[in-house]
Amino acid sequence: MAKIQQWNGLQTSDAKSFRGTTESLAKRESNSFGSDTDVNGVDNNEVQTDKYGFIEGAQQYSSNAAEDIPPEILRQREAKWLEMLNNWDKWMAKRHKKVKVRCQKGIPPSLRGRAWLYLSGGKVKKEQNPGKFQELDSQPGDPRWLDVIEKDLHRQFPFHEMFVARGGHGQQDLFRVLKAYTLHRPEEGYCQAQAPIAAVLLMHMPAEDAFWGLVQICEKYLPGYYSAGLEAIQLDGEIQFALLKRVSPVAHRHLKKYKIEPILYMTEWFMCAFSRTLPWASVLRVWDMFFCEGVKIIFRVGLVLLRCMLGSQEKLRSYQGQYETMELLKRIEPRYMHETFLVNEVIELPVSERDIEKEHLSQLRRWKETRGELHCKSPPRMHGARAIMTAEPPSRQDLRQNPTIIVESPAPPATTAPATTATATAATNEGMGRGVSPDDKKGKKAKKKKKKGKEGGAEEREEEEGQRRTADAMRPPPAEETTNPYPALAEPEESPSKHGSLQSLSSTEHDTYL
């Protein structure tokens, strides 16, 4: 097959299988977008990136494929999403349709990573398994998978600022996430199509969150996709082909006429969730809806692209044959992948979870008649965030938001004894759950004097002596001994180059809070 062009800064990789142990179902010719020397030899001071972090020029048609949202509208959406995230269980239970509409409009970039984690159920999994990722990360891993993972690292979005440097923070975190998954599911191991999925997650969240997001995608949204034999993806290919007959009979007849199997064109679409096919603005919008509504979004995107490219007799006159048709599907017109057009078509396409499940049962019976039982028994597929939350109801504790940036003001240096006494007393009151000001204490003392008369003088002196002893016991350490627990917040001596030291999104400073 000839070359296929991609729109997210990464062209089609070498003709390899998606699994390290399974033959490729749809081979492709290699098409390099530049050697590693070219990538790593770029002068970082001269490199410019777009708003998504891709080196300028790496994404073709990216400027024309993205919507410009006015800042005031974006601020309003952020406020709405913050309110939803603070009361996530109530919104999902009572106002799920509104959550769905807001996902269709697009999640604000500053909150996208956090929203994806909540929608997928990764937040709950993370809270219910504290320290699990760190435990897996500390283990050496299976050598048979580590070698394959290392070879794939530089192929994942090599023109994104996170992954442009070999051995950089982005590639290190990608290796950690993929290795941890092979230890989490040793029966599955590693599949090459998992790498771009994990890379997209790492662009929006720290490594631990990306790991749980990957777990949810592999186990809840696309179960069986990355197992040996790729039976689940082949079965979904037959489901899509059957749905195409209803959505676009012309396209269905054409593909059937030239015996073009679904696995030839939809494998990468589905297994990578279109992250290596669409312009980046469209990828993010598709993923927003995918995390909310489930795999039906992936089916709809594939059906829309097939209907647009093969849905008219006039267009098909020039593509009579298997080779010509495959070439056409590799060169999807940019107007069909435009963010606004694609999202509207996907929303309006009448394909529901019920349609998919009904066709799934039909194709499963046909599979058993022709090929026998499935070798890989996958768990049932969850159709979106609400189904996942219903199947595994979270506690309020699991949904609490834990800020990753906490700024603490250092204690003021001890100057005079009265000031130290007041500070220590206030700290003591605050630690005991009381916020008592000096004026309040004076008022209480006056009332006490009024009530007890002459006896108050001796008691007051005794109380003051007790406060002095408490202050001496709780006096904070000298100012010169206090260290800043957050050196990243200190003033840097020299501002490093933007690309000279690419920071991993696992850094807590990448989690935006308003």
Side-chain angles (χ1 to χ4, degrees), residues 132-140 176-177 179-180 183:
K132 179 67 174 180
F133 175 73
Q134 289 75 13
E135 176 188 345
L136 297 173
D137 189 30
S138 63
Q139 297 178 22
R176 293 170 59 207
V177 170
K179 183 195 77 172
L183 295 169

Side-chain angles (χ1 to χ4, degrees), residues 244-255:
L244 182 64
K245 184 176 183 179
R246 190 182 72 185
V247 173
S248 178
V250 174
H252 181 271
R253 284 196 302 269
H254 184 82
L255 293 173

Side-chain angles (χ1 to χ4, degrees), residues 61-319:
Y61 307 106
S62 61
S63 59
N64 298 326
E67 290 180 349
D68 290 327
I69 302 175
E72 59 273 13
I73 300 298
L74 197 57
R75 298 290 87 80
Q76 292 175 9
R77 292 183 180 179
E78 287 173 343
K80 293 176 180 178
W81 270 96
L82 283 171
E83 199 278 329
M84 287 198 307
L85 292 171
N86 286 329
N87 302 278
W88 188 249
D89 52 343
K90 296 179 182 178
W91 277 86
M92 291 299 293
K94 299 178 181 180
R95 305 192 64 185
H96 175 258
K97 289 185 178 179
K98 191 65 177 178
V99 177
K100 176 180 171 181
V101 170
R102 289 179 178 175
C103 288
Q104 291 174 348
K105 290 181 178 179
I107 301 173
S110 61
L111 299 171
R112 179 167 274 129
R114 207 187 322 173
W116 284 359
L117 201 64
Y118 272 72
L119 287 164
S120 66
K123 166 68 174 174
V124 176
K125 282 287 187 181
K126 175 185 173 183
E127 295 297 331
Q128 293 176 348
N129 297 274
K132 179 67 174 180
F133 175 73
Q134 289 75 13
E135 176 188 345
L136 297 173
D137 189 30
S138 63
Q139 297 178 22
D142 189 336
R144 63 171 176 160
W145 298 123
L146 298 185
D147 292 341
V148 182
I149 292 172
E150 288 178 355
K151 292 177 182 178
D152 287 343
L153 293 178
H154 73 282
R155 300 190 181 106
Q156 312 310 320
F157 308 104
F159 290 91
H160 190 277
E161 60 182 351
M162 267 196 71
F163 305 104
V164 69
R166 276 182 175 266
H169 290 287
Q171 291 193 9
Q172 291 178 22
D173 281 351
L174 182 59
F175 177 82
R176 293 170 59 207
V177 170
L178 295 174
K179 183 195 77 172
Y181 187 83
T182 63
L183 295 169
H184 178 67
R185 285 287 179 265
E187 69 278 6
E188 283 192 12
Y190 167 67
C191 173
Q192 290 178 323
Q194 291 173 319
I197 296 289
V200 175
L201 294 172
L202 281 170
M203 293 178 194
H204 296 87
M205 59 188 75
E208 183 178 9
D209 293 352
F211 166 75
W212 289 114
L214 178 64
V215 168
Q216 291 299 94
I217 290 175
C218 296
E219 296 181 1
K220 298 295 192 296
Y221 288 84
L222 307 174
Y225 267 37
Y226 309 103
S227 300
L230 302 178
E231 292 176 328
I233 190 69
Q234 295 181 64
L235 194 60
D236 276 0
E238 298 300 329
I239 295 172
Q240 190 204 36
F241 191 62
L243 293 173
L244 182 64
K245 184 176 183 179
R246 190 182 72 185
V247 173
S248 178
V250 174
H252 181 271
R253 284 196 302 269
H254 184 82
L255 293 173
K256 188 175 182 179
K257 176 181 179 181
Y258 294 107
K259 299 180 180 179
I260 302 175
E261 298 293 330
I263 206 70
L264 294 175
Y265 55 82
M266 55 79 65
T267 305
E268 187 174 83
W269 289 1
F270 278 51
M271 295 187 73
C272 300
F274 291 96
S275 61
R276 291 162 58 113
T277 305
L278 301 173
W280 201 248
S282 301
V283 170
L284 298 179
R285 294 291 298 279
V286 166
W287 278 49
D288 290 347
M289 295 186 292
F290 168 64
F291 276 116
C292 182
E293 303 179 54
V295 75
K296 74 176 182 184
I297 297 298
I298 304 298
F299 276 97
R300 287 183 182 181
V301 174
L303 292 170
V304 167
L305 295 180
L306 289 172
R307 183 177 65 180
C308 290
M309 296 301 294
L310 305 174
S312 66
Q313 293 288 357
E314 293 77 12
K315 183 177 294 186
L316 294 178
R317 288 173 184 169
S318 303
Y319 300 95

Side-chain angles (χ1 to χ4, degrees), residues 216-441:
Q216 291 299 94
I217 290 175
C218 296
E219 296 181 1
K220 298 295 192 296
Y221 288 84
L222 307 174
Y225 267 37
Y226 309 103
S227 300
L230 302 178
E231 292 176 328
I233 190 69
Q234 295 181 64
L235 194 60
D236 276 0
E238 298 300 329
I239 295 172
Q240 190 204 36
F241 191 62
L243 293 173
L244 182 64
K245 184 176 183 179
R246 190 182 72 185
V247 173
S248 178
V250 174
H252 181 271
R253 284 196 302 269
H254 184 82
L255 293 173
K256 188 175 182 179
K257 176 181 179 181
Y258 294 107
K259 299 180 180 179
I260 302 175
E261 298 293 330
I263 206 70
L264 294 175
Y265 55 82
M266 55 79 65
T267 305
E268 187 174 83
W269 289 1
F270 278 51
M271 295 187 73
C272 300
F274 291 96
S275 61
R276 291 162 58 113
T277 305
L278 301 173
W280 201 248
S282 301
V283 170
L284 298 179
R285 294 291 298 279
V286 166
W287 278 49
D288 290 347
M289 295 186 292
F290 168 64
F291 276 116
C292 182
E293 303 179 54
V295 75
K296 74 176 182 184
I297 297 298
I298 304 298
F299 276 97
R300 287 183 182 181
V301 174
L303 292 170
V304 167
L305 295 180
L306 289 172
R307 183 177 65 180
C308 290
M309 296 301 294
L310 305 174
S312 66
Q313 293 288 357
E314 293 77 12
K315 183 177 294 186
L316 294 178
R317 288 173 184 169
S318 303
Y319 300 95
Q320 298 297 315
Q322 186 183 81
Y323 175 82
E324 292 79 7
T325 303
M326 288 299 301
E327 288 298 302
L328 178 63
L329 292 178
K330 292 174 184 178
R331 298 190 304 270
I332 300 174
E333 296 181 33
R335 58 176 174 154
Y336 298 138
M337 299 187 294
H338 188 278
E339 177 184 355
T340 304
F341 173 85
L342 182 62
V343 169
N344 290 337
E345 290 292 313
V346 167
I347 293 173
E348 294 174 3
L349 194 67
V351 174
S352 65
E353 303 98 56
R354 183 176 297 179
D355 297 329
I356 294 173
E357 287 305 315
K358 181 180 178 181
E359 195 59 46
H360 179 268
L361 294 175
S362 176
Q363 294 299 328
L364 189 58
R365 286 193 300 268
R366 186 175 301 177
W367 179 288
K368 292 180 179 179
E369 292 173 359
T370 58
R371 309 188 192 186
E373 292 289 336
L374 293 171
H375 294 89
C376 179
K377 300 294 183 181
S378 302
R381 178 155 46 197
M382 299 290 178
H383 287 278
R386 190 175 188 179
I388 293 173
M389 198 167 186
T390 302
E392 300 175 355
S395 65
R396 188 68 180 172
Q397 186 78 0
D398 295 333
L399 295 173
R400 75 187 189 279
Q401 297 198 54
N402 301 322
T404 54
I405 300 178
I406 304 175
V407 181
E408 294 182 356
S409 301
T415 53
T416 61
T420 304
T421 302
T423 304
T425 306
T428 304
N429 291 330
E430 183 179 356
M432 297 174 64
R434 303 190 302 268
V436 184
S437 66
D439 293 338
D440 293 336
K441 290 191 292 181

